[in-house]
Amino acid sequence: EVFRALAPHALAAPRFPVLLLPAAAAAATFCAVLAALDGGVLVAAERHPPRTAWRGLLTRSLGPHLVHGLAGLMMAVLWRSAYGPPAALLVLLPMCLSAWVFDRYHRERAAHQATIRALVQAVDIKDRYTRGHSERVGRASVMIARELGMPDDRTEVLRFAGILHDVGKLGVPTRLLRKDGPLTPEERRVIELHPEYGHEIVRGIGFLGEARAAILHHHERLDGRGYPYGLSGHQIPEFARVVAVADAFDAMTSTRSYRRARPVPA
């Protein structure tokens, strides 16, 4: 409709429809090269498994780059039309709107990251023995997710779950978290409330999605002897099972107040 209103002479030119095919081919080629390079970086620098490194990269970038390529072609056609450069500048309006939406998305993402960092720092300050534990569990959860072939959007939420799995310790008395030696049964029962405290803390944070269930259930056990609800097997959410494995591994390989770290091979 924009072409019909602003550039009837350009539409009538026989060369314009012919230009659509090479313009689309150029945009698709650019997307393919970009996806190949992105996947190579993920494999080489971030140790992604090759079978999943390129998954979804091409399809995610194809749409935006085809739209931008079409916008560039529209600007070129309008520029060469009888209406000249002023008509071509109208293409910039939707492009500016697109840039604004993109900027808002990244600002929102940065706000999410800041919220998570603040919560993790609060836990680390309160429980000095597990400082850095949350970040390590987040990284280990991502490694497991990649081996399972989870899509990137779920992997990102799972990372949040791993990082925030112990946020409920903010509701546990500091003297219990820093106690040297074993806990009494009463003290252990208080500690075991931290998944429910954590779920209450993050319940209103919408972007966490499935991560909230992982925070609540990461101490359930497959045999049903875990807490807080004694779920078993596949009753336990998938995210909670992944975080439980990552949490247990990091706990066993870290020095705590009540025991020394076990070697990784063991």
Side-chain angles (χ1 to χ4, degrees):
E1 293 299 323
V2 171
F3 281 121
R4 292 181 187 281
L6 297 178
H9 300 295
L11 280 174
R15 293 185 59 195
F16 174 69
V18 179
L19 292 176
L20 286 175
L21 184 59
T29 302
F30 178 81
C31 291
V33 172
L34 192 65
L37 292 174
D38 285 346
V41 170
L42 291 176
V43 171
E46 299 191 16
R47 300 294 189 269
H48 280 231
R51 69 175 185 274
T52 60
W54 284 273
R55 181 181 299 165
L57 290 178
L58 180 61
T59 54
R60 283 199 301 272
S61 65
L62 194 58
H65 285 102
L66 284 176
V67 171
H68 290 149
L70 180 61
L73 180 61
M74 183 188 301
M75 181 176 287
V77 169
L78 291 175
W79 192 285
R80 298 292 299 273
S81 72
Y83 296 97
L89 293 178
L90 291 176
V91 180
L92 293 177
L93 295 177
M95 295 295 288
C96 290
L97 179 61
S98 174
W100 179 80
V101 171
F102 194 68
D103 179 68
R104 294 293 298 178
Y105 165 77
H106 280 281
R107 286 177 182 270
E108 184 177 350
R109 184 181 174 85
H112 294 171
Q113 299 286 357
T115 299
I116 291 172
R117 280 197 302 271
L119 290 171
V120 170
Q121 286 173 358
V123 175
D124 285 349
I125 290 171
K126 187 165 187 175
D127 188 2
R128 64 176 182 270
Y129 287 111
T130 59
R131 188 162 297 168
H133 168 70
S134 299
E135 292 288 348
R136 292 193 299 272
V137 172
R139 288 197 298 270
S141 298
V142 168
M143 293 170 67
I144 296 170
R146 287 172 180 163
E147 287 298 321
L148 294 174
M150 280 190 187
D152 288 347
D153 55 343
R154 293 193 74 212
T155 298
E156 179 71 359
V157 177
L158 180 57
R159 184 175 74 86
F160 293 157
I163 292 173
L164 293 175
H165 73 284
D166 274 344
V167 69
K169 286 183 177 179
L170 292 173
V172 175
T174 304
R175 62 180 177 81
L176 297 184
L177 297 176
R178 298 185 178 183
K179 181 180 178 180
D180 292 323
L183 299 169
T184 66
E186 292 77 14
E187 290 170 337
R188 182 167 293 279
R189 281 194 289 272
V190 173
I191 291 283
E192 290 178 355
L193 291 173
H194 81 269
E196 295 176 274
Y197 292 155
H199 186 257
E200 285 298 312
I201 290 171
V202 304
R203 186 171 59 177
I205 305 178
F207 70 85
L208 289 178
E210 289 183 83
R212 289 173 292 188
I215 292 168
L216 178 61
H217 296 296
H218 71 278
H219 278 296
E220 305 285 2
R221 286 176 39 166
L222 292 180
D223 60 7
R225 296 169 60 189
Y227 60 89
Y229 299 132
L231 303 182
S232 62
H234 286 278
Q235 293 177 324
I236 306 170
E238 183 181 26
F239 276 20
R241 283 180 270 148
V242 172
V243 171
V245 173
D247 184 27
F249 176 81
D250 188 72
M252 288 187 286
T253 55
S254 303
T255 296
R256 297 295 176 88
S257 60
Y258 47 88
R259 58 151 176 78
R260 296 193 62 77
R262 299 177 185 178
V264 170

